[in-house]
Amino acid sequence: MITIDDGMTAREIAYMLQEKAVIKKPKLLLKNFVKMKFDRSIKSGQYKIVPGNEMFVAYQFKTLRPNSKFITIIPGSRFNEVSKLLGSGEQFYSSLSNIDNFPVQMRDILPHNPKDRIAFLLPNTYSVVDDANFVDKFVKMSSLLWYREIYKKIDLKYTPKQWLEFSTMASIVEKEAKREDEKALIAGVFYNRIKNKMKMQSCATVVYSWSEKDIIKKSLSYKDLEVISPYNTYINIGLPPGPIAVPSVSSWFGAIHPVNTDYLFFFARPDGSHEFSTNYNNHIMKQKQ
């Protein structure tokens, strides 16, 4: 059984197969991969490959389906939802706890709480080798993508505390915003409220607070807003202690580069967009229109 990890190049695969005595000439195998237009589309997973000449082995890779799991992380997924996809909350927590599962360049910025590290996994569909270590491999793959798409594209250096705050804001923006073009604007409103020592009053944090008590809320009453939780921004000033969901790339950049405005209030329109206001009276008036 041959294991191909995600991100391996055709060249790395060819020389690995030579080491395992599956083939003798890795360069010839590469030529056959190119001929079959398969050199850039080898999927990760486990392959049952019969040793033989290079053309025969290349053909096997072309025709066989790898033994792998496809895991899709949707933006806005919570820890418990990702745990169910992976089949084990304990294993997922353990994998997040293991610092070696994250790129070395980002280990110093990771939150202390392993559950908060879920925000540092990028939403995507991952093909993971289906073996005893597949959860570890999933964390490695999704955190590596986060490193490439977020961390490497940020020019400034931030402290671990700032990264935790960005991840928390990004997760709230992910749950509040329906439109991509409003994410940085919504982040700006929340930052303005924090700066003015106002409560953020994010309904998404209330829903999360109830979910932490294993109660799912699809709509909120005024009484629901009183739930006691450090994540409830209707009763606590400032950001919650950590992220409430997995943010997308656009939510991350919205949190890191918010739009600078005087807006302090917003509410959702029926089409999912939002109406913004600089003062409470205007906010109420617009809702009555």
Side-chain angles (χ1 to χ4, degrees):
M1 195 71 73
I2 301 298
T3 299
I4 306 299
D5 290 321
D6 189 70
M8 287 184 72
T9 65
R11 186 178 186 281
E12 289 171 336
I13 294 168
Y15 281 92
M16 177 190 71
L17 293 174
Q18 182 190 38
E19 289 178 8
K20 293 182 178 294
V22 176
I23 59 163
K24 293 180 180 179
K25 301 175 181 178
K27 289 183 180 179
L28 183 56
L29 179 64
L30 282 171
K31 287 183 180 179
N32 280 285
F33 278 154
V34 172
K35 269 187 191 177
M36 296 179 184
K37 298 181 180 179
F38 192 58
D39 57 317
R40 296 181 183 275
S41 59
I42 303 174
K43 292 188 170 84
S44 61
Q46 290 184 318
Y47 293 81
K48 192 172 183 180
I49 300 294
V50 178
N53 66 52
E54 287 69 23
M55 181 178 287
F56 175 58
V57 169
Y59 180 76
Q60 290 181 75
F61 274 106
K62 179 74 173 176
T63 55
L64 290 175
R65 297 188 66 180
N67 177 26
S68 60
K69 285 188 176 183
F70 290 91
I71 301 168
T72 299
I73 304 303
I74 299 170
S77 298
R78 296 192 296 267
F79 177 87
N80 290 342
E81 293 169 333
V82 179
S83 296
K84 286 180 183 178
L85 285 175
L86 299 173
S88 170
E90 289 182 10
Q91 180 58 50
F92 186 36
Y93 185 88
S94 175
S95 294
L96 291 172
S97 301
N98 186 355
I99 204 78
D100 292 336
N101 286 335
F102 294 85
V104 64
Q105 299 91 334
M106 59 181 283
R107 291 174 188 174
D108 289 342
I109 69 164
L110 290 173
H112 178 72
N113 184 352
K115 282 185 72 173
D116 291 342
R117 296 174 186 174
I118 190 174
F120 295 81
L121 312 179
L122 207 66
N124 208 330
T125 296
Y126 299 92
S127 173
V128 188
V129 176
D130 189 7
D131 60 17
N133 300 315
F134 87 94
V135 179
D136 284 340
K137 290 177 179 177
F138 160 73
V139 171
K140 288 178 180 178
M141 292 163 60
S142 53
S143 62
L144 177 60
L145 188 60
W146 182 91
Y147 169 73
R148 290 172 176 167
E149 295 300 318
I150 306 293
Y151 189 85
K152 286 190 73 175
K153 295 182 179 180
I154 301 297
D155 295 330
L156 299 176
K157 298 294 182 184
Y158 296 107
T159 66
K161 181 176 182 291
Q162 287 174 306
W163 278 110
L164 177 59
E165 290 172 349
F166 287 145
S167 70
T168 304
M169 180 62 79
S171 70
I172 294 172
V173 168
E174 185 64 51
K175 301 298 283 188
E176 291 279 358
K178 301 300 181 187
R179 288 175 39 165
E180 295 289 304
D181 63 344
E182 289 187 344
K183 288 185 174 181
L185 192 54
I186 288 174
V189 173
F190 283 136
Y191 283 129
N192 284 345
R193 293 181 70 83
I194 292 171
K195 185 168 62 177
N196 284 276
K197 301 194 182 307
M198 300 168 63
K199 295 184 177 79
M200 287 178 63
Q201 295 187 328
S202 162
C203 291
T205 65
V206 178
V207 172
Y208 180 81
S209 298
W210 282 108
S211 73
E212 288 288 279
K213 300 176 185 293
D214 293 324
I215 299 173
I216 304 302
K217 294 283 184 179
K218 294 186 178 178
S219 60
L220 295 172
S221 67
Y222 284 109
K223 188 68 177 174
D224 291 333
L225 303 180
E226 299 172 5
V227 59
I228 303 301
S229 167
Y231 289 89
N232 182 358
T233 58
Y234 270 83
I235 62 174
N236 302 299
I237 291 177
L239 284 164
I244 62 173
V246 182
S248 60
V249 171
S250 56
S251 293
W252 266 104
F253 283 109
I256 296 170
H257 301 298
V259 174
N260 184 20
T261 70
D262 294 326
Y263 292 141
L264 288 170
F265 302 92
F266 67 88
F267 66 90
R269 300 188 186 102
D271 64 358
S273 63
H274 291 84
E275 185 71 42
F276 298 85
S277 301
T278 58
N279 63 77
Y280 185 70
N281 288 337
N282 208 8
H283 174 63
I284 296 299
M285 184 180 68
K286 286 181 179 181
Q287 290 185 67
K288 292 179 178 178
Q289 290 176 352

